[in-house]
Amino acid sequence: MLRGTEAWFTEQHRGAPVLLDSAHAIEAMIDALIAADPLRTTAQLISLDRQRLSSGWPDHEFLVGVGAGGQFGILCYSTGDEGALIPDGAPTAPVATYMLNTYPREFLEPTEVPIDLVREAVKEFVLSGGRRPTCLEWREEPH
């Protein structure tokens, strides 16, 4: 049985992250990002179903950002083994800045994807126990 994924995207979530354990909870989180303050357009997701490192820290991170107007977004899947991966495809801008709880997160040569694909990828991540979504192709994030 899956335990779900913890999500942080507001100050209130620092001590009490949102638990994503259903398609409904995932939809609610993305809708909240669409309606959010422009300084909080990105969520950090950590699966509770993956093994932790010996230090106790997660071995992964999944960032989910929603662009202005809620029509598109950005995804970044990171692990120690694979590095940081973003959706493959033609870059949509030289740089895109998304806000993670008032902190800017810049993506170089980002490939922003339609919001429906963002929703699908988050559902796949959560409901697969934290695996990298296969509903899209990935490439290494430029640094």
Side-chain angles (χ1 to χ4, degrees):
M1 183 169 158
L2 294 176
R3 296 184 305 160
T5 296
E6 292 182 329
W8 294 267
F9 52 96
T10 71
E11 282 294 322
Q12 293 83 358
H13 299 146
R14 283 189 189 256
V18 172
L19 179 64
L20 305 178
D21 58 358
S22 68
H24 176 72
I26 294 163
E27 291 289 338
M29 179 204 69
I30 293 173
D31 290 344
L33 288 173
I34 291 170
D37 174 320
L39 296 176
R40 291 172 176 80
T41 59
T42 304
Q44 178 186 38
L45 280 56
I46 302 293
S47 176
L48 298 173
D49 296 300
R50 290 178 60 110
Q51 292 289 326
R52 297 264 174 163
L53 299 172
S54 60
S55 64
W57 288 95
D59 71 339
H60 69 288
E61 173 185 70
F62 192 41
L63 295 178
V64 179
V66 174
Q71 300 299 310
F72 59 89
I74 191 78
L75 301 165
C76 183
Y77 179 85
S78 303
T79 69
D81 294 337
E82 297 178 282
L85 304 173
I86 60 174
D88 195 15
T92 52
V95 177
T97 302
Y98 283 75
M99 300 300 287
L100 178 58
N101 209 12
T102 73
Y103 294 98
R105 170 57 159 90
E106 288 189 340
F107 294 89
L108 301 177
E109 301 175 21
T111 303
E112 294 168 304
V113 297
I115 196 67
D116 290 341
L117 190 52
V118 170
R119 291 177 190 277
E120 184 179 348
V122 174
K123 287 176 187 172
E124 188 176 342
F125 174 80
V126 172
L127 301 176
S128 73
R131 291 191 183 104
R132 178 168 39 101
T134 59
C135 61
L136 47 86
E137 297 294 318
W138 298 88
R139 68 179 165 95
E140 191 173 323
E141 180 180 11
H143 294 281

